[in-house]
Amino acid sequence: MKLKHYSFFALLPLISLIFLPSLVSSQACQRACGNVPMKYPFGTGVGCGDPRFQQYVTCDQQTLTLRTHTGTYPITNIDYSNQVVYISDPSMSTCGSCTQPSKGFGLDWDAPFSFTDDNIFTLLDCSTTSSPIFRSNSYNVDNSSAVPLCDKQGAPVCSYLYSCRAISMLNLPISSCCVYTPVDLGPSFEFNLQKLQCSSYSAFYSFSGQESNPDNWKYGISLKYKFNVYNNYPNPCADCEKSGGVCGYTGSYNSFICNCLNGVNTTSTCYFVSSFNNGLRLLPLQTGTLLMYPLVWILAMVLL
């Protein structure tokens, strides 16, 4: 029986699939969603990033969004150094536009996010007679005035916002504005404008150094996230990203994988994969990977 003569280079893809460290099904993870760079713990699809964030942060048609039980909100920026996500709410009011009515905003109780201390929430056009954010002044017998249960230092914020053209056209009384400062800004925090009997809200996280100029405030909501209970960046993920890969997960146990440029997934780094793609050019490898080279050449000699 005549044996077929196999070329080593023809069999190279098969050899690499056999000996690459723990390869699993490929998953192409993008490095950006629109104009927002994508890094751990976020991903552009199933199997990318950290699975805890998958149901909340998604990339759909190059638009990165945050999804909560109150709606879906565009993500405008991610500060990876400080672990902060910035989102916008199209239904909220700013100095340039006033939306009525708004739905409000809330985080899911189990979401891996919390509000930063920079957020300033301002409720607009609230009923001064029936809204729960106001209570009767017990020292007034005739109940002629109301004391706001909001930040008393926030009066200038209300004045500046109500001076904006978009909001001033509604002729709202300044008493209907409240800088909302609840005690708990944890994951379960939300404000339902219908229950609070307010028509709209505004949120911003920076005055941009111009407290008296609401046109230049940075409108939106800033959310803090953590990698884990100790907030440590996972070492396997750091090694993966250094090799040009993207961190991901696979299987029923959400096991770690490193997604490489050519779409191949490995449980270590992309260095070994890159060496095959560059004609077996030796690259920095993890300890023990070099031991695979003699095995590859032995198999090649047998098949030749």
Side-chain angles (χ1 to χ4, degrees), residues 137-193:
N137 189 343
S138 58
Y139 296 101
N140 261 340
V141 179
D142 59 356
N143 197 26
S144 60
S145 64
V147 176
L149 295 178
C150 305
D151 189 353
K152 295 181 180 180
Q153 303 299 321
V157 173
C158 287
S159 298
Y160 294 137
L161 278 175
Y162 274 42
S163 68
C164 294
R165 178 181 175 85
I167 300 177
S168 63
M169 293 178 62
L170 300 177
N171 295 318
L172 302 175
I174 194 67
S175 58
S176 66
C177 175
C178 172
V179 176
Y180 194 48
T181 54
V183 176
D184 182 18
L185 280 176
S188 61
F189 166 76
E190 73 172 290
F191 51 91
N192 185 316
L193 293 182

Side-chain angles (χ1 to χ4, degrees), residues 70 101-105 123-127 130-133 180 190-201:
T70 56
S102 298
K103 295 184 296 183
F105 179 81
L123 306 183
L124 310 176
D125 191 21
C126 302
S127 172
S130 57
S131 173
I133 64 172
Y180 194 48
E190 73 172 290
F191 51 91
N192 185 316
L193 293 182
Q194 184 175 4
K195 291 182 179 180
L196 295 175
Q197 299 186 37
C198 301
S199 297
S200 183
Y201 84 100

Side-chain angles (χ1 to χ4, degrees), residues 74-77 85-90 92-98 118-122 124 156-167 200-208 210-222:
I75 294 177
T76 57
N77 188 32
V85 174
Y86 298 95
I87 68 170
S88 63
D89 181 359
M92 79 176 185
S93 298
T94 66
C95 201
S97 64
C98 183
D118 297 327
N119 290 297
I120 298 178
F121 297 99
T122 307
L124 310 176
V157 173
C158 287
S159 298
Y160 294 137
L161 278 175
Y162 274 42
S163 68
C164 294
R165 178 181 175 85
I167 300 177
S200 183
Y201 84 100
S202 181
F204 59 95
Y205 50 85
S206 175
F207 288 109
S208 300
Q210 303 180 53
E211 295 187 17
S212 60
N213 187 1
D215 283 308
N216 290 338
W217 294 353
K218 292 185 178 180
Y219 292 93
I221 301 172
S222 57

Side-chain angles (χ1 to χ4, degrees), residues 238-289:
D239 294 337
C240 169
E241 291 179 338
K242 288 179 182 177
S243 69
V246 177
C247 304
Y249 61 93
T250 188
S252 57
Y253 294 100
N254 293 327
S255 302
F256 167 80
I257 59 170
C258 182
N259 180 251
C260 303
L261 288 173
N262 59 358
V264 175
N265 291 339
T266 172
T267 56
S268 56
T269 68
C270 295
Y271 289 129
F272 191 77
V273 177
S274 298
S275 67
F276 275 99
N277 291 339
N278 290 280
L280 293 177
R281 178 169 56 86
L282 184 62
L283 296 178
L285 301 174
Q286 284 192 338
T287 304
T289 307

